Amino acid sequence: MTSAVSTTDRHSEPRGRHRQRRRAVDVLFEAEAKGVPATDLIAERREVFDSHDAVGEMSGYAVDVVEGYTGDADQIDALITSHLKNWTFERLPAVDRAILRLATWELLYARDVDVKVVLDEAVKLATELSTDDSPAFVNGVLDRISVLAPQVRAAGTGE
């Protein structure tokens, strides 16, 4: 029997949030590959889910992240680009771009998620989904971006 109360892990993160992040990465990756807005894919999947639940419901944190990123895509991509060393944004593996997009949005706007958790989760996703070199690369880029997170988060709350 499952409890209606959200269970948390050692990072005070709701269980299942990793799965939601992975889902968001999948949507961002697919949207780029197809050249369509990620929010269109969410709408498409919701339509299919209404008649056939095999695609899985599009809701929760995955949707929040995708919609959040989409609203600030140009700024987030520019920020990532400005923090790359010896790489161009276009040369990155597409899955790494999707992970960096997700994590950068979280670093800047997900005030309920600790910066360390964002970095750990991004590295975990890179380990699961990308090349052997990607976890260290993603960690390095996000570590540089994370320096800005406190100021952006504070500005967002008017502190």
Side-chain angles (χ1 to χ4, degrees), residues 115-126:
V115 169
K116 182 178 176 359
V117 172
V118 174
L119 296 176
D120 289 348
E121 284 290 316
V123 168
K124 186 174 181 180
L125 287 166

Side-chain angles (χ1 to χ4, degrees), residues 16-138:
R17 197 167 270 191
H18 178 75
R19 189 175 40 237
Q20 291 287 312
R21 284 183 180 97
R22 186 173 177 144
R23 189 142 212 213
V25 167
D26 290 345
V27 170
L28 293 171
F29 177 86
E30 183 181 346
E32 181 179 350
K34 290 181 174 180
V36 300
T39 51
D40 287 1
L41 292 177
I42 290 171
E44 216 174 80
R45 289 190 176 148
R46 283 180 170 161
E47 277 183 36
V48 172
F49 180 76
D50 287 342
S51 61
H52 187 11
D53 64 2
V55 297
E57 186 175 13
M58 285 303 302
S59 62
Y61 194 70
V63 173
D64 293 344
V65 171
V66 170
E67 289 176 347
Y69 163 76
T70 301
D72 290 315
D74 291 338
Q75 294 88 346
I76 290 172
D77 287 357
L79 182 62
I80 295 167
T81 299
S82 72
H83 285 81
L84 296 175
K85 290 184 178 178
N86 303 318
W87 281 88
T88 62
F89 191 67
E90 296 75 27
R91 279 190 57 221
L92 297 177
V95 70
D96 289 0
R97 281 193 301 271
I99 293 167
L100 288 168
R101 287 168 167 158
L102 158 85
T104 299
W105 181 86
E106 282 190 298
L107 284 171
L108 301 178
Y109 303 110
R111 292 189 260 321
D112 65 326
V113 182
D114 186 75
V115 169
K116 182 178 176 359
V117 172
V118 174
L119 296 176
D120 289 348
E121 284 290 316
V123 168
K124 186 174 181 180
L125 287 166
T127 300
E128 293 171 1
L129 301 172
S130 197
T131 69
D132 290 342
D133 296 329
S134 291
F137 177 79
V138 164

